[in-house]
Amino acid sequence: MAANKKYVSEIDNFITNFIQQNPEIKQKQKILRQTWWDQDFIDQDEMLEYKNSSAPRPAYSYFEYTNNGK
């Protein structure tokens, strides 16, 4: 059974209309994409040095546990 090429979903209509009404969204989308996906080259030697360093790293890096005065 062939797909209906003329069918346009409500979501497709919404996105098309939204982009037409907000043309600046394409530039914002491009900038945000670059933030997450277009990363610079990672120096593998530097990463290896960091990985093999003797400096202790916390087990959970998002915050430090406190001993609450102990």
Coordinates of all heavy atoms in Angstrom, one line a residue:
M1 N 0.8 -1.2 0.0 CA 0.0 0.0 0.0 C 0.9 1.2 0.0 O 1.8 1.4 0.8 CB -0.9 0.0 1.2 CG -1.8 1.1 1.3 SD -2.8 0.9 2.8 CE -4.3 1.6 2.4
A2 N 0.7 2.1 -0.9 CA 1.5 3.3 -1.0 C 1.1 4.4 0.0 O -0.1 4.5 0.3 CB 1.4 3.9 -2.4
A3 N 2.0 5.1 0.5 CA 1.7 6.2 1.4 C 1.1 7.4 0.7 O 1.4 7.6 -0.4 CB 3.0 6.7 2.1
N4 N 0.2 8.0 1.4 CA -0.5 9.2 0.9 C 0.4 10.4 0.9 O 0.7 10.9 1.9 CB -1.8 9.5 1.7 CG -2.6 10.6 1.0 OD1 -2.2 11.2 0.1 ND2 -3.8 10.8 1.6
K5 N 0.9 10.8 -0.3 CA 1.9 11.9 -0.4 C 1.2 13.3 -0.1 O 1.9 14.2 0.2 CB 2.5 11.9 -1.8 CG 3.2 10.7 -2.1 CD 4.6 10.6 -1.5 CE 5.3 9.3 -1.9 NZ 6.6 9.2 -1.3
K6 N -0.1 13.4 -0.2 CA -0.8 14.7 0.0 C -1.1 14.9 1.5 O -1.4 16.0 1.9 CB -2.0 14.7 -0.8 CG -1.8 14.7 -2.3 CD -3.0 14.8 -3.1 CE -2.8 14.7 -4.6 NZ -4.0 14.7 -5.4
Y7 N -1.0 13.9 2.3 CA -1.3 14.0 3.7 C -0.3 14.8 4.5 O 0.9 14.6 4.3 CB -1.5 12.6 4.4 CG -1.7 12.7 5.9 CD1 -2.9 13.1 6.4 CD2 -0.7 12.5 6.8 CE1 -3.2 13.2 7.8 CE2 -0.9 12.6 8.1 CZ -2.1 13.0 8.6 OH -2.3 13.1 10.0
V8 N -0.8 15.8 5.2 CA 0.1 16.6 6.1 C -0.4 16.6 7.5 O -1.6 17.0 7.7 CB 0.2 18.1 5.5 CG1 1.2 18.9 6.4 CG2 0.7 18.1 4.1
S9 N 0.4 16.1 8.4 CA -0.1 16.0 9.8 C -0.2 17.4 10.5 O 0.3 18.4 10.0 CB 0.8 15.1 10.6 OG 2.1 15.8 10.8
E10 N -0.9 17.4 11.6 CA -1.1 18.6 12.3 C 0.3 19.1 12.8 O 0.5 20.3 12.8 CB -2.0 18.4 13.5 CG -3.5 18.1 13.2 CD -4.3 17.9 14.4 OE1 -4.0 18.4 15.5 OE2 -5.3 17.2 14.3
I11 N 1.1 18.2 13.2 CA 2.5 18.6 13.6 C 3.2 19.3 12.5 O 3.9 20.3 12.7 CB 3.2 17.4 14.2 CG1 2.5 16.8 15.4 CG2 4.7 17.8 14.5 CD1 2.4 17.8 16.6
D12 N 3.2 18.7 11.3 CA 3.9 19.3 10.1 C 3.3 20.7 9.9 O 4.1 21.6 9.6 CB 3.7 18.4 8.9 CG 4.5 17.1 8.9 OD1 5.5 17.1 9.6 OD2 4.1 16.2 8.3
N13 N 2.0 20.8 9.9 CA 1.4 22.2 9.7 C 1.9 23.1 10.8 O 2.2 24.3 10.5 CB -0.1 22.1 9.8 CG -0.7 21.6 8.5 OD1 -0.1 21.7 7.4 ND2 -1.8 20.9 8.6
F14 N 1.9 22.7 12.0 CA 2.3 23.6 13.1 C 3.8 24.0 12.9 O 4.1 25.2 13.0 CB 2.2 22.9 14.5 CG 2.8 23.6 15.6 CD1 2.1 24.7 16.2 CD2 4.1 23.3 16.1 CE1 2.7 25.4 17.2 CE2 4.6 24.0 17.1 CZ 4.0 25.1 17.7
I15 N 4.7 23.1 12.6 CA 6.1 23.5 12.5 C 6.3 24.4 11.3 O 7.0 25.4 11.4 CB 6.9 22.2 12.3 CG1 6.9 21.4 13.7 CG2 8.4 22.5 11.9 CD1 7.6 20.1 13.6
T16 N 5.6 24.1 10.2 CA 5.7 24.9 9.0 C 5.3 26.3 9.3 O 5.9 27.3 8.9 CB 4.9 24.3 7.8 OG1 5.4 23.0 7.6 CG2 5.1 25.2 6.6
N17 N 4.1 26.5 9.9 CA 3.6 27.8 10.2 C 4.4 28.5 11.3 O 4.7 29.7 11.1 CB 2.1 27.7 10.8 CG 1.2 27.2 9.7 OD1 1.4 27.5 8.5 ND2 0.1 26.6 10.1
F18 N 4.9 27.8 12.2 CA 5.8 28.4 13.2 C 7.0 29.0 12.6 O 7.4 30.1 12.9 CB 6.1 27.3 14.3 CG 7.0 27.9 15.4 CD1 6.4 28.7 16.4 CD2 8.3 27.7 15.5 CE1 7.2 29.2 17.5 CE2 9.1 28.2 16.5 CZ 8.5 29.0 17.5
I19 N 7.7 28.2 11.7 CA 8.9 28.7 11.1 C 8.6 29.9 10.2 O 9.4 30.8 10.1 CB 9.6 27.6 10.3 CG1 10.1 26.5 11.3 CG2 10.7 28.1 9.4 CD1 10.7 25.3 10.7
Q20 N 7.5 29.9 9.5 CA 7.1 31.0 8.6 C 6.8 32.3 9.5 O 7.2 33.4 9.1 CB 5.9 30.7 7.8 CG 6.1 29.7 6.7 CD 4.9 29.2 6.0 OE1 3.8 29.6 6.4 NE2 5.1 28.5 4.9
Q21 N 6.2 32.1 10.6 CA 5.9 33.2 11.5 C 7.1 33.7 12.3 O 7.2 34.9 12.7 CB 4.8 32.9 12.5 CG 3.5 32.7 11.8 CD 2.4 32.1 12.7 OE1 2.6 32.0 13.9 NE2 1.2 31.8 12.1
N22 N 8.1 32.8 12.5 CA 9.3 33.2 13.2 C 10.6 32.8 12.5 O 11.3 31.8 12.8 CB 9.3 32.4 14.6 CG 8.1 32.7 15.4 OD1 7.9 33.8 15.9 ND2 7.2 31.7 15.5
P23 N 10.9 33.5 11.4 CA 12.1 33.2 10.6 C 13.4 33.2 11.3 O 14.3 32.5 10.9 CB 12.0 34.2 9.5 CG 11.2 35.3 9.9 CD 10.3 34.7 10.9
E24 N 13.5 33.9 12.4 CA 14.7 34.0 13.2 C 15.0 32.6 13.9 O 16.1 32.4 14.4 CB 14.7 35.1 14.2 CG 13.8 34.9 15.4 CD 12.3 35.1 15.2 OE1 11.9 35.6 14.1 OE2 11.5 34.9 16.1
I25 N 14.0 31.8 14.0 CA 14.2 30.5 14.7 C 15.3 29.6 14.0 O 16.0 28.9 14.7 CB 12.9 29.8 14.8 CG1 12.9 28.8 16.0 CG2 12.5 29.1 13.6 CD1 12.8 29.4 17.3
K26 N 15.4 29.7 12.7 CA 16.4 28.9 12.0 C 17.8 29.3 12.4 O 18.7 28.4 12.6 CB 16.3 29.1 10.5 CG 15.1 28.4 9.9 CD 15.4 26.9 9.9 CE 14.4 26.2 9.0 NZ 14.6 24.8 9.0
Q27 N 18.1 30.6 12.6 CA 19.4 31.0 13.1 C 19.6 30.6 14.5 O 20.7 30.1 14.9 CB 19.5 32.6 13.0 CG 20.9 33.1 13.4 CD 22.0 32.6 12.5 OE1 21.8 32.3 11.3 NE2 23.2 32.5 13.0
K28 N 18.6 30.7 15.4 CA 18.8 30.2 16.8 C 19.0 28.7 16.8 O 19.8 28.2 17.6 CB 17.5 30.6 17.6 CG 17.3 32.0 17.9 CD 16.1 32.2 18.7 CE 15.9 33.7 19.0 NZ 14.7 34.0 19.8
Q29 N 18.3 28.0 16.0 CA 18.5 26.5 15.9 C 19.9 26.2 15.5 O 20.5 25.3 16.1 CB 17.5 26.0 14.9 CG 17.5 24.5 14.7 CD 16.6 24.0 13.6 OE1 16.3 24.7 12.7 NE2 16.1 22.8 13.8
K30 N 20.4 26.9 14.5 CA 21.8 26.7 14.1 C 22.8 27.0 15.2 O 23.8 26.2 15.4 CB 22.1 27.6 12.8 CG 23.5 27.3 12.2 CD 23.7 28.1 11.0 CE 25.0 27.8 10.4 NZ 25.2 28.6 9.2
I31 N 22.6 28.1 15.9 CA 23.5 28.4 17.0 C 23.5 27.3 18.1 O 24.5 26.9 18.6 CB 23.2 29.8 17.6 CG1 23.5 30.9 16.5 CG2 23.9 30.1 18.9 CD1 23.0 32.2 16.9
L32 N 22.3 26.9 18.5 CA 22.1 25.9 19.5 C 22.7 24.6 19.1 O 23.3 23.8 19.9 CB 20.7 25.8 20.0 CG 20.2 27.0 20.7 CD1 18.7 26.9 21.0 CD2 20.9 27.3 22.0
R33 N 22.5 24.2 17.8 CA 23.1 23.0 17.3 C 24.6 23.0 17.4 O 25.3 22.1 17.8 CB 22.7 22.8 15.9 CG 23.3 21.5 15.2 CD 23.0 21.5 13.7 NE 23.8 20.4 13.1 CZ 25.0 20.5 12.6 NH1 25.6 21.7 12.7 NH2 25.6 19.5 12.1
Q34 N 25.2 24.2 17.1 CA 26.7 24.3 17.2 C 27.1 24.2 18.7 O 28.2 23.6 18.9 CB 27.1 25.7 16.7 CG 27.0 25.8 15.2 CD 27.2 27.2 14.7 OE1 27.2 28.1 15.4 NE2 27.4 27.3 13.4
T35 N 26.3 24.6 19.6 CA 26.7 24.5 21.0 C 26.9 23.0 21.4 O 27.8 22.7 22.1 CB 25.5 25.1 21.9 OG1 25.4 26.5 21.5 CG2 25.9 25.0 23.4
W36 N 26.0 22.2 21.0 CA 26.0 20.8 21.4 C 26.8 19.8 20.5 O 27.4 18.9 20.9 CB 24.6 20.3 21.6 CG 24.0 21.0 22.7 CD1 23.0 21.9 22.7 CD2 24.2 20.8 24.1 NE1 22.7 22.4 23.9 CE2 23.4 21.7 24.8 CE3 25.1 20.0 24.9 CZ2 23.4 21.8 26.2 CZ3 25.1 20.1 26.2 CH2 24.3 21.0 26.9
W37 N 26.7 20.1 19.2 CA 27.2 19.1 18.2 C 28.5 19.5 17.5 O 29.3 18.6 17.2 CB 26.2 18.8 17.2 CG 25.0 18.2 17.9 CD1 23.8 18.8 18.1 CD2 24.9 16.8 18.4 NE1 22.9 17.9 18.7 CE2 23.6 16.7 19.0 CE3 25.7 15.8 18.5 CZ2 23.1 15.6 19.6 CZ3 25.3 14.6 19.1 CH2 24.0 14.5 19.6
D38 N 28.7 20.7 17.2 CA 29.9 21.1 16.4 C 31.0 21.5 17.4 O 31.3 22.7 17.6 CB 29.5 22.3 15.5 CG 28.5 22.0 14.5 OD1 28.3 20.8 14.2 OD2 27.9 22.9 13.9
Q39 N 31.6 20.5 18.0 CA 32.7 20.7 18.9 C 34.1 20.7 18.2 O 34.3 20.1 17.2 CB 32.7 19.5 20.0 CG 31.4 19.4 20.7 CD 31.1 20.6 21.6 OE1 32.1 21.2 22.2 NE2 29.9 21.0 21.7
D40 N 35.0 21.4 18.9 CA 36.4 21.4 18.4 C 37.1 20.1 18.6 O 36.6 19.2 19.3 CB 37.2 22.5 19.1 CG 36.7 23.9 18.7 OD1 36.1 24.1 17.6 OD2 36.9 24.8 19.6
F41 N 38.2 19.9 17.9 CA 39.0 18.7 18.0 C 39.5 18.5 19.5 O 39.9 19.5 20.1 CB 40.2 18.9 17.1 CG 41.2 17.7 17.2 CD1 40.9 16.5 16.7 CD2 42.4 17.9 17.9 CE1 41.8 15.5 16.8 CE2 43.3 16.9 18.0 CZ 43.0 15.7 17.5
I42 N 39.4 17.3 19.9 CA 39.8 17.0 21.3 C 41.2 16.4 21.2 O 41.4 15.4 20.5 CB 38.9 16.0 22.0 CG1 37.5 16.6 22.1 CG2 39.4 15.5 23.3 CD1 36.4 15.6 22.6
D43 N 42.2 17.0 21.9 CA 43.6 16.5 21.8 C 43.7 15.2 22.6 O 43.5 15.2 23.8 CB 44.5 17.6 22.5 CG 45.9 17.2 22.3 OD1 46.3 16.2 21.8 OD2 46.8 18.1 22.7
Q44 N 43.9 14.1 21.9 CA 44.0 12.8 22.5 C 45.1 12.7 23.5 O 45.0 12.0 24.6 CB 44.1 11.7 21.5 CG 42.9 11.7 20.5 CD 41.6 11.4 21.2 OE1 41.5 10.5 22.1 NE2 40.5 12.1 20.9
D45 N 46.3 13.3 23.3 CA 47.4 13.2 24.2 C 47.0 13.9 25.5 O 47.4 13.5 26.6 CB 48.6 13.9 23.6 CG 49.2 13.1 22.4 OD1 49.0 11.9 22.4 OD2 49.8 13.7 21.5
E46 N 46.4 15.1 25.4 CA 45.9 15.8 26.6 C 44.9 15.0 27.4 O 45.0 14.9 28.6 CB 45.3 17.1 26.2 CG 45.0 18.0 27.4 CD 44.4 19.3 27.0 OE1 44.8 19.8 25.8 OE2 43.7 19.9 27.7
M47 N 44.0 14.3 26.7 CA 43.0 13.5 27.4 C 43.7 12.3 28.1 O 43.3 11.9 29.2 CB 42.0 13.0 26.4 CG 41.0 14.0 25.9 SD 40.1 14.9 27.2 CE 39.1 13.6 27.8
L48 N 44.7 11.7 27.5 CA 45.4 10.6 28.1 C 46.2 11.1 29.3 O 46.2 10.4 30.3 CB 46.4 10.0 27.0 CG 47.1 8.7 27.5 CD1 46.2 7.6 27.9 CD2 48.1 8.3 26.4
E49 N 46.8 12.2 29.2 CA 47.5 12.8 30.4 C 46.5 13.0 31.5 O 46.8 12.7 32.7 CB 48.2 14.1 30.0 CG 49.0 14.7 31.1 CD 49.7 16.0 30.6 OE1 49.9 16.2 29.4 OE2 49.9 16.8 31.5
Y50 N 45.4 13.6 31.2 CA 44.4 13.8 32.3 C 43.9 12.5 32.9 O 43.8 12.4 34.1 CB 43.2 14.5 31.7 CG 42.0 14.7 32.6 CD1 42.0 15.6 33.6 CD2 40.9 13.9 32.5 CE1 41.0 15.7 34.5 CE2 39.8 14.0 33.4 CZ 39.9 14.9 34.4 OH 38.8 15.0 35.2
K51 N 43.7 11.5 32.1 CA 43.2 10.2 32.5 C 44.2 9.5 33.4 O 43.9 8.9 34.4 CB 42.9 9.3 31.3 CG 42.3 8.0 31.7 CD 42.0 7.2 30.5 CE 41.4 5.8 30.8 NZ 41.1 5.0 29.6
N52 N 45.5 9.7 33.1 CA 46.6 9.0 33.9 C 47.2 9.9 35.0 O 48.1 9.5 35.6 CB 47.7 8.6 32.9 CG 47.3 7.6 31.9 OD1 46.4 6.8 32.2 ND2 47.9 7.6 30.7
S53 N 46.6 11.0 35.2 CA 47.1 11.9 36.3 C 46.9 11.3 37.7 O 46.0 10.5 37.9 CB 46.5 13.3 36.2 OG 45.1 13.2 36.6
S54 N 47.7 11.7 38.6 CA 47.6 11.2 39.9 C 46.7 12.0 40.8 O 46.5 11.7 42.0 CB 49.0 11.1 40.6 OG 49.6 12.3 40.6
A55 N 46.2 13.1 40.3 CA 45.3 13.9 41.1 C 44.0 13.2 41.3 O 43.4 12.7 40.4 CB 45.0 15.2 40.3
P56 N 43.6 13.1 42.6 CA 42.4 12.4 42.9 C 41.1 13.1 42.4 O 41.0 14.3 42.4 CB 42.3 12.3 44.4 CG 43.1 13.5 44.9 CD 44.2 13.7 43.8
R57 N 40.2 12.3 41.9 CA 39.0 12.9 41.4 C 37.8 12.4 42.3 O 37.9 11.2 42.7 CB 38.7 12.4 39.9 CG 39.6 13.0 38.9 CD 39.2 12.5 37.5 NE 40.4 12.4 36.7 CZ 41.2 11.3 36.6 NH1 41.0 10.3 37.3 NH2 42.2 11.3 35.8
P58 N 36.9 13.2 42.5 CA 35.7 12.8 43.3 C 34.9 11.7 42.6 O 34.9 11.7 41.4 CB 34.9 14.1 43.5 CG 35.3 14.9 42.4 CD 36.7 14.6 42.0
A59 N 34.3 10.9 43.4 CA 33.5 9.8 42.8 C 32.3 10.3 42.1 O 31.9 9.8 41.1 CB 33.1 8.8 43.9
Y60 N 31.7 11.4 42.7 CA 30.6 12.0 42.1 C 30.9 13.5 41.8 O 31.0 14.2 42.7 CB 29.4 11.9 43.0 CG 28.1 12.3 42.3 CD1 27.4 11.5 41.4 CD2 27.5 13.5 42.6 CE1 26.3 11.9 40.8 CE2 26.3 13.9 42.0 CZ 25.7 13.1 41.1 OH 24.5 13.5 40.5
S61 N 31.1 13.9 40.6 CA 31.7 15.2 40.3 C 30.7 16.3 40.3 O 31.1 17.5 40.1 CB 32.4 15.1 38.9 OG 31.5 14.8 37.9
Y62 N 29.4 16.1 40.4 CA 28.5 17.2 40.4 C 28.4 18.0 41.6 O 28.1 19.2 41.6 CB 27.1 16.7 40.0 CG 27.1 16.1 38.6 CD1 27.0 14.8 38.4 CD2 27.2 17.0 37.5 CE1 27.0 14.2 37.1 CE2 27.2 16.4 36.2 CZ 27.1 15.1 36.0 OH 27.1 14.6 34.8
F63 N 28.7 17.4 42.8 CA 28.8 18.2 44.0 C 29.6 17.3 45.0 O 29.9 16.1 44.8 CB 27.4 18.5 44.6 CG 26.6 17.2 45.0 CD1 26.7 16.7 46.3 CD2 25.8 16.6 44.1 CE1 26.0 15.5 46.6 CE2 25.0 15.5 44.4 CZ 25.2 15.0 45.7
E64 N 30.1 18.0 46.0 CA 31.0 17.3 47.0 C 30.2 16.9 48.2 O 29.3 17.6 48.7 CB 32.1 18.3 47.4 CG 33.1 18.6 46.3 CD 34.2 19.5 46.8 OE1 34.4 19.5 48.0 OE2 34.9 20.1 46.0
Y65 N 30.5 15.7 48.7 CA 29.8 15.3 49.9 C 30.6 15.9 51.1 O 31.8 16.1 51.1 CB 30.0 13.7 50.0 CG 29.1 13.0 49.0 CD1 29.7 12.4 47.9 CD2 27.7 12.9 49.2 CE1 28.9 11.7 47.0 CE2 27.0 12.2 48.3 CZ 27.5 11.6 47.2 OH 26.8 10.9 46.3
T66 N 29.8 16.3 52.1 CA 30.4 16.9 53.3 C 30.3 15.9 54.4 O 29.4 15.0 54.4 CB 29.7 18.2 53.7 OG1 28.3 17.9 53.9 CG2 29.8 19.2 52.6
N67 N 31.2 16.0 55.4 CA 31.2 15.0 56.5 C 30.3 15.5 57.6 O 30.2 14.9 58.7 CB 32.6 14.9 57.0 CG 33.4 14.1 56.0 OD1 32.9 13.4 55.2 ND2 34.7 14.3 56.2
N68 N 29.7 16.7 57.5 CA 28.8 17.3 58.5 C 29.5 17.4 59.8 O 28.9 17.0 60.9 CB 27.5 16.5 58.6 CG 26.6 16.6 57.4 OD1 26.7 17.6 56.7 ND2 25.9 15.5 57.1
G69 N 30.7 17.9 59.8 CA 31.4 18.2 61.1 C 32.1 17.0 61.6 O 32.7 17.0 62.7
K70 N 32.2 15.8 61.0 CA 32.8 14.6 61.5 C 34.3 14.6 61.1 O 34.7 15.1 60.2 CB 32.1 13.4 60.9 CG 30.7 13.2 61.4 CD 30.1 11.9 60.9 CE 28.7 11.8 61.3 NZ 28.1 10.6 60.7

